[in-house]
Amino acid sequence: FRVAYWVPLCVFVILSTILYVRLLYLIYKRRHTQQYFSFFYKMFFIGGLFDILSVIWYIVVQWVYVDQLFGSSFLLTLNHDSIPNLCYYYIYYFLYSQIFIILLVSANRLLAIHFPLSNLLKSCDGFPVLLLFIFTLI
């Protein structure tokens, strides 16, 4: 276990995750107001969920495989064929979903700048968060 590496990193991750969860909570709590009802804040909320999950998954994978925090005997009990592939797909799946979120928000901002009174822009604001979350996963 690399103490000099993990202690500052974990302090930073814990503090930033607390702030990030607080920000997502405020967006969720104010989602029915005019300002936070927009497509941008919905996608920001979904991207925040992906960010938090991917950071947690990354730390767990580093502890298990790189630092072998649970010992090499624990590592030997895992199926070496499927678990690393699962870790790889999970991390890169969230990476690609975050890129997709950035593309959707950029397209929405492009519409907002060039066509501010567009019906398409207003219809984007009407999408439910759950539908956008599932669409991003797919």
Side-chain angles (χ1 to χ4, degrees):
F1 189 71
R2 301 171 290 171
V3 176
Y5 175 75
W6 282 110
V7 169
L9 184 66
C10 284
V11 168
F12 177 75
V13 165
I14 289 169
L15 290 176
S16 62
T17 302
I18 289 170
L19 292 174
Y20 210 172
V21 168
R22 173 79 174 141
L23 178 66
L24 294 179
Y25 172 73
L26 289 175
I27 291 173
Y28 180 77
K29 189 172 135 182
R30 298 175 184 170
R31 70 187 183 278
H32 296 297
T33 62
Q34 180 66 28
Q35 180 183 4
Y36 292 98
F37 187 71
S38 70
F39 181 81
F40 173 78
Y41 283 106
K42 291 176 183 178
M43 293 309 291
F44 185 85
F45 183 80
I46 293 169
L49 293 176
F50 285 137
D51 287 340
I52 291 171
L53 289 174
S54 62
V55 165
I56 291 170
W57 185 254
Y58 176 78
I59 288 174
V60 167
V61 167
Q62 289 292 314
W63 281 351
V64 170
Y65 286 104
V66 177
D67 291 337
Q68 296 182 3
L69 185 64
F70 303 110
S72 58
S73 60
F74 176 75
L75 216 65
L76 292 174
T77 61
L78 297 175
N79 185 355
H80 290 287
D81 294 334
S82 62
I83 300 294
N85 288 334
L86 178 68
C87 297
Y88 174 79
Y89 290 134
Y90 189 81
I91 290 172
Y92 283 99
Y93 187 74
F94 279 123
L95 176 69
Y96 291 130
S97 64
Q98 290 168 345
I99 292 169
F100 184 67
I101 289 170
I102 291 169
L103 290 174
L104 285 177
V105 169
S106 299
N108 181 264
R109 295 295 90 195
L110 178 76
L111 280 175
I113 291 171
H114 289 290
F115 308 105
L117 301 175
S118 170
N119 288 334
L120 181 61
L121 185 64
K122 292 175 186 171
S123 66
C124 288
D125 291 342
F127 289 142
V129 175
L130 184 60
L131 177 71
L132 291 172
F133 184 77
I134 293 170
F135 183 67
T136 305
L137 284 178
I138 293 173

